[in-house]
Amino acid sequence: MSQPASSGAKRPLKVAVQMDHISTINITGDSAFALMLEAQDRGYELYHYTPERLAMWGEKVMCRVEPVSVKDEADNHFSFGEPQRVDMSEMDVVLMRQDPPFDLAYIAATHILEKLSKTTLVVNDPISVRNAPEKLFVTQFADLMPPTLITHDREEIDEFRNIHGDIVMKPLFGHGGAAVFRVTQDDLNYGSLYDFFSVTFREPWVIQKFLPNVKHGDKRILLVDGEFAGAVNRVPAAGDLRSNMVRGGSAKDSDLTEREREICARLGPALKEQGLILVGIDVIDGNLTEINVTAPTGIRAIQKLGGPNVAAMVWDVLETKLKNKEG
């Protein structure tokens, strides 16, 4: 990491954002965009790139980036400077914010960014992101979850249905509510759905007991460095199981219940220890269902409903970590 100018003046942080191309995002709900707006307000130098531009030359990581400025204005939300080829160790912070799927390309990016560990703060920590697939990591807290099965085996799913009745089936590495199905105990489509999953997803699937109170909301709770930061209750649209806002769910403000505070307290130390600075957990009727560590959303929805500025909390934590590292 380069040092401040000899005059003693504090130089702006250099921040690179690894993301899906900024031209494709929906700024009304994109948490990466919220983090970029806050970074710009603080006078940081912002750079944008997409993951395929990373290049590892032995121990060195190079990338073609664009200086970027952002504006909270639909269809006019960014402008680029001239592209530059940079040594990524010159960056103070890299935000790893591209959306899943959590596939081999995603994993490869974590291996490349891991090379920056001695010079640059990568958020979230790429080793922990790689080792914490969201629908598997959560099973470390099985006592906080609804009954859950991870499998590809038909007989195991049949046994689970016999015990729990209505279930939810979803791909292990899915995201954004895609391919999430409720299967009732007498559902005649079950066999066809099993066949569809078999030819579509090679990895195991997540099978969970259906929670009827999902109709009242699936709460997204954000934690920053292991501490509760804000929450939003996502209510499914009429006729839909899924509460994800990209699937038509609506955002409602929400306070934490005693059970939800217990969940945050249980998860916080493990998240902090693993360098998972911005995490979104999903809770339905007091049941922890997912721990989202790749590119969790919710920052903008929380602030629009009168909640705290979670992006500012994130940057406060990162500034402190950088100061401690330099010290």
Side-chain angles (χ1 to χ4, degrees):
M1 190 181 301
S2 55
Q3 299 298 314
S6 58
S7 64
K10 185 178 179 181
R11 65 170 177 80
L13 295 181
K14 298 181 72 171
V15 177
V17 186
Q18 176 174 302
M19 62 189 299
D20 301 323
H21 199 279
I22 193 171
S23 64
T24 68
I25 67 172
N26 179 356
I27 66 170
T28 60
D30 194 278
S31 288
F33 190 71
L35 291 165
M36 295 170 79
L37 285 171
E38 179 66 25
Q40 182 172 270
D41 285 347
R42 294 182 180 217
Y44 303 163
E45 294 180 13
L46 274 176
Y47 300 87
H48 162 279
Y49 72 97
T50 49
E52 71 277 1
R53 297 189 204 165
L54 289 171
M56 186 166 65
W57 291 66
E59 295 297 309
K60 182 179 289 190
V61 178
M62 305 298 295
C63 191
R64 299 186 186 277
V65 303
E66 298 103 352
V68 61
S69 60
V70 289
K71 184 189 300 185
D72 198 0
E73 183 179 317
D75 301 321
N76 186 34
H77 59 280
F78 73 97
S79 59
F80 286 151
E82 287 297 316
Q84 305 172 14
R85 181 174 180 266
V86 299
D87 182 336
M88 292 293 279
S89 67
E90 297 174 3
M91 297 294 164
D92 297 289
V93 178
V94 171
L95 298 180
M96 188 178 185
R97 289 293 312 182
Q98 80 269 24
D99 286 334
F102 190 80
D103 53 13
L104 288 176
Y106 214 111
I107 290 171
T110 68
H111 281 288
I112 295 173
L113 291 178
E114 184 183 343
K115 297 290 185 183
L116 299 175
S117 61
K118 294 180 180 179
T119 60
T120 303
L121 183 56
V122 181
V123 182
N124 283 321
D125 181 272
I127 299 173
S128 295
V129 168
R130 185 169 67 243
N131 292 339
E134 294 166 341
K135 295 177 180 65
L136 285 173
F137 178 43
V138 67
T139 62
Q140 294 184 23
F141 306 91
D143 62 307
L144 302 177
M145 299 179 66
T148 299
L149 171 69
I150 310 290
T151 191
H152 199 292
D153 185 79
R154 172 71 181 263
E155 291 186 10
E156 291 294 325
I157 301 173
D158 290 346
E159 181 65 20
F160 190 87
R161 292 181 74 212
N162 289 337
I163 295 171
H164 296 292
D166 293 3
I167 63 171
V168 170
M169 293 178 62
K170 52 188 175 181
L172 184 60
F173 298 121
H175 65 102
V180 176
F181 292 90
R182 175 188 177 183
V183 182
T184 61
Q185 195 162 28
D186 59 353
D187 197 327
L188 298 179
N189 291 308
Y190 168 59
S192 294
L193 183 60
Y194 177 87
D195 293 342
F196 165 74
F197 269 51
S198 294
V199 299
T200 307
F201 308 110
R202 294 184 59 204
E203 65 274 10
W205 318 319
V206 181
I207 317 296
Q208 286 183 328
K209 179 180 179 179
F210 174 67
L211 301 174
N213 280 338
V214 69
K215 65 185 177 184
H216 300 305
D218 178 354
K219 192 172 293 187
R220 166 56 58 88
I221 301 171
L222 293 182
L223 293 95
V224 175
D225 204 25
E227 300 290 336
F228 168 69
V232 59
N233 195 35
R234 304 170 301 174
V235 180
D240 203 329
L241 164 71
R242 303 163 300 174
S243 60
N244 310 73
M245 285 179 278
V246 296
R247 306 294 173 186
S250 58
K252 309 291 184 184
D253 62 348
S254 180
D255 294 322
L256 292 192
T257 65
E258 183 177 344
R259 168 67 169 175
E260 290 160 352
R261 292 188 183 279
E262 175 192 344
I263 291 172
C264 290
R266 282 278 306 279
L267 269 57
L271 302 177
K272 187 180 181 73
E273 180 182 0
Q274 295 184 49
L276 297 168
I277 292 171
L278 177 59
V279 171
I281 66 172
D282 297 335
V283 179
I284 301 173
D285 194 24
N287 293 273
L288 176 67
T289 59
E290 292 189 16
I291 301 176
N292 299 277
V293 304
T294 50
T297 60
I299 291 178
R300 304 217 80 187
I302 288 169
Q303 192 167 11
K304 285 176 184 176
L305 291 168
N309 182 349
V310 178
M313 296 181 188
V314 172
W315 285 114
D316 287 346
V317 166
L318 298 184
E319 286 181 359
T320 298
K321 288 185 178 295
L322 288 169
K323 185 182 296 184
N324 292 340
K325 190 173 183 178
E326 291 175 353

